[in-house]
Amino acid sequence: MLNIIKSGFFTTVQDTGRFGYRDKGVPVSGVMDSFSVSKVNTLLENDENCAVLEITMTGPTLEFEQDTYIVLGGAEMSVTLNDITIENYKVYKVNTGDILTYGKLLKGFRAYLGIKDGFNTASVLGSRSYFKPITERDSIKKMSSLPYTECKLFSPKISKLKVDSVLDKTELEVYKGPEYKLLTDKQLAQLFYREFTVANENNRMAYQLNEIIEGNKVSMLTSATLPGTIQLTPAGKLIILMKDGQTTGGYPRILQLSDMAMSILAQKRSGNHISFKLR
C-alpha cells in the first residue's frame, strides 16, 4: 500500500482513459499529459495503460509500505526521497517505509508518479481513472491508501531518459474542426497571428483563454465533442475541452488539438501564453 500522508492540491489516479461510453455522456478522462506519462511507463517497462498519479500544482507526501520502483515525470517539482533530491525520468528503488515528499513547483503544472506495474485501484468501466461520480473519489485523500504490487527486484533495460520536455513549448498544433469553414478571414487572422493567455478558468474539464476573437452567431444542433475540441462561443470566447470535458456541445467546433498539443496545454497554468499552428 501507498499511504497518503498529505494529498496535495489535486492528485488523482489516471491511466490512458475510459473508452466506449461517450454515447452515454461519460468522458474519456485519463492522463492530461500523455507524452510525459508514456516515458514514465516506458522506463518502468509497464504496459502503457498502467495507472499513475497525476499531481496538479502542489504535490503529496507519501509513505511506501512495500518495496517497489518509481519514476517521476511531467512538471518539474522539488521532490525528495527520504530527504534526498530525486529527478524526473530516472528509475529509483523504493524500500518499505520510505517517504516521498513533493515541494515547490518549478516548471509546468502537472507532475506524474509512476510505479512498477501501476496502481491497482478499482477499475470502473474499463479504467482506473478518477472521475466522480463514475468513481467513488475525485482525488486522493489524506490518510487514505492506494494498492500496488510489491516488486523487490527489477533490472530496467534503460534506467534514465533525456526527454525533449513539453514544458517549454507554447505552440499548439491544431487540425480543422467540423465547423472550421464558418470562420471568416478576420477570425482566422485573430486565431493564427497572435498569442493567447490561459485564463483562471482552467482544469481537467476545459481551458479558457483571456483574449477573445470576433464572435460567431451561427445556431447549430448539439453535436459530439472530443478532448482537444476548441469551441467558439457567440461572444468570441475560445473553450478548449480537456480529458474530463463534456461529450457534446452546441458551439461551433472550429479546431481540434493534436495529441502533442494536448500534452503541451496540460502543462500550462493561468497567465501562460500559447499560440495555434494549423496542420
Side-chain angles (χ1 to χ4, degrees), residues 38-67:
S38 70
K39 306 303 181 188
V40 167
N41 275 327
T42 294
L43 278 166
L44 290 165
E45 297 174 24
N46 285 345
D47 182 88
E48 65 179 4
N49 196 42
C50 278
V52 301
L53 283 186
E54 181 175 273
I55 297 155
T56 305
M57 193 165 66
T58 63
T61 299
L62 309 166
E63 179 187 22
F64 295 84
E65 284 192 354
Q66 301 154 289
D67 292 1

Side-chain angles (χ1 to χ4, degrees), residues 32-158:
M32 293 273 277
D33 177 0
S34 59
F35 172 83
S36 297
V37 172
S38 70
K39 306 303 181 188
V40 167
N41 275 327
T42 294
L43 278 166
L44 290 165
E45 297 174 24
N46 285 345
D47 182 88
E48 65 179 4
N49 196 42
C50 278
V52 301
L53 283 186
E54 181 175 273
I55 297 155
T56 305
M57 193 165 66
T58 63
T61 299
L62 309 166
E63 179 187 22
F64 295 84
E65 284 192 354
Q66 301 154 289
D67 292 1
T68 189
Y69 293 79
I70 62 171
V71 173
L72 312 180
E76 294 178 6
M77 302 182 75
S78 298
V79 185
T80 60
L81 181 62
N82 298 328
D83 297 323
I84 298 173
T85 299
I86 61 175
E87 60 187 283
N88 280 0
Y89 305 111
K90 182 177 179 180
V91 179
Y92 290 94
K93 176 72 165 67
V94 172
N95 299 307
T96 300
D98 283 356
I99 303 291
L100 187 72
T101 305
Y102 280 79
K104 184 179 179 181
L105 177 66
L106 304 175
K107 184 187 292 186
F109 196 47
R110 290 179 171 87
Y112 293 92
L113 170 64
I115 195 167
K116 182 61 179 167
D117 298 323
F119 290 100
N120 299 327
T121 53
S123 179
V124 182
L125 300 180
S127 173
R128 304 184 195 278
S129 294
Y130 280 13
F131 179 76
K132 198 173 182 179
I134 301 302
T135 55
E136 182 180 349
R137 297 176 177 176
D138 63 351
S139 60
I140 66 170
K141 305 301 179 186
K142 180 180 178 180
M143 304 309 294
S144 64
S145 59
L146 300 172
Y148 64 90
T149 302
E150 183 175 47
C151 179
K152 289 185 174 293
L153 184 60
F154 169 52
S155 299
K157 296 182 180 67
I158 303 171

Side-chain angles (χ1 to χ4, degrees), residues 9-271:
F9 171 68
F10 189 74
T11 304
T12 63
V13 175
Q14 301 289 340
D15 54 25
T16 55
R18 186 170 284 112
F19 300 97
Y21 300 95
R22 291 183 60 80
D23 61 329
K24 299 174 178 62
V26 179
V28 171
S29 297
V31 295
M32 293 273 277
D33 177 0
S34 59
F35 172 83
S36 297
V37 172
S38 70
K39 306 303 181 188
V40 167
N41 275 327
T42 294
L43 278 166
L44 290 165
E45 297 174 24
N46 285 345
D47 182 88
E48 65 179 4
N49 196 42
C50 278
V52 301
L53 283 186
E54 181 175 273
I55 297 155
T56 305
M57 193 165 66
T58 63
T61 299
L62 309 166
E63 179 187 22
F64 295 84
E65 284 192 354
Q66 301 154 289
D67 292 1
T68 189
Y69 293 79
I70 62 171
V71 173
L72 312 180
E76 294 178 6
M77 302 182 75
S78 298
V79 185
T80 60
L81 181 62
N82 298 328
D83 297 323
I84 298 173
T85 299
I86 61 175
E87 60 187 283
N88 280 0
Y89 305 111
K90 182 177 179 180
V91 179
Y92 290 94
K93 176 72 165 67
V94 172
N95 299 307
T96 300
D98 283 356
I99 303 291
L100 187 72
T101 305
Y102 280 79
K104 184 179 179 181
L105 177 66
L106 304 175
K107 184 187 292 186
F109 196 47
R110 290 179 171 87
Y112 293 92
L113 170 64
I115 195 167
K116 182 61 179 167
D117 298 323
F119 290 100
N120 299 327
T121 53
S123 179
V124 182
L125 300 180
S127 173
R128 304 184 195 278
S129 294
Y130 280 13
F131 179 76
K132 198 173 182 179
I134 301 302
T135 55
E136 182 180 349
R137 297 176 177 176
D138 63 351
S139 60
I140 66 170
K141 305 301 179 186
K142 180 180 178 180
M143 304 309 294
S144 64
S145 59
L146 300 172
Y148 64 90
T149 302
E150 183 175 47
C151 179
K152 289 185 174 293
L153 184 60
F154 169 52
S155 299
K157 296 182 180 67
I158 303 171
S159 60
K160 186 176 181 179
L161 278 177
K162 181 174 177 58
V163 173
D164 182 16
S165 173
V166 299
L167 304 182
D168 293 319
K169 298 182 185 297
T170 59
E171 187 176 79
L172 305 183
E173 182 182 64
V174 294
Y175 301 91
K176 295 177 181 180
E179 285 74 55
Y180 177 84
K181 290 184 178 179
L182 297 177
L183 296 172
T184 65
D185 289 342
K186 181 177 180 181
Q187 288 171 318
L188 290 172
Q190 291 173 329
L191 275 170
F192 295 113
Y193 296 99
R194 68 188 296 185
E195 278 193 334
F196 291 89
T197 310
V198 174
N200 291 331
E201 299 82 11
N202 68 85
N203 53 36
R204 284 186 51 86
M205 294 184 67
Y207 268 56
Q208 295 190 36
L209 304 175
N210 284 331
E211 295 79 10
I212 62 174
I213 69 171
E214 187 176 81
N216 197 317
K217 306 300 182 182
V218 174
S219 177
M220 58 176 281
L221 295 174
T222 296
S223 303
T225 59
L226 296 168
T229 295
I230 303 179
Q231 298 178 301
L232 175 62
T233 73
K237 193 82 170 175
L238 297 172
I239 300 174
I240 309 174
L241 301 183
M242 301 301 279
K243 291 298 183 73
D244 288 347
Q246 65 205 48
T247 59
T248 60
Y251 297 133
R253 302 157 297 176
I254 59 171
L255 298 170
Q256 180 70 37
L257 296 184
S258 68
D259 289 342
M260 178 60 78
M262 286 282 290
S263 290
I264 293 170
L265 185 58
Q267 293 296 351
K268 303 307 177 196
R269 48 183 166 167
S270 302

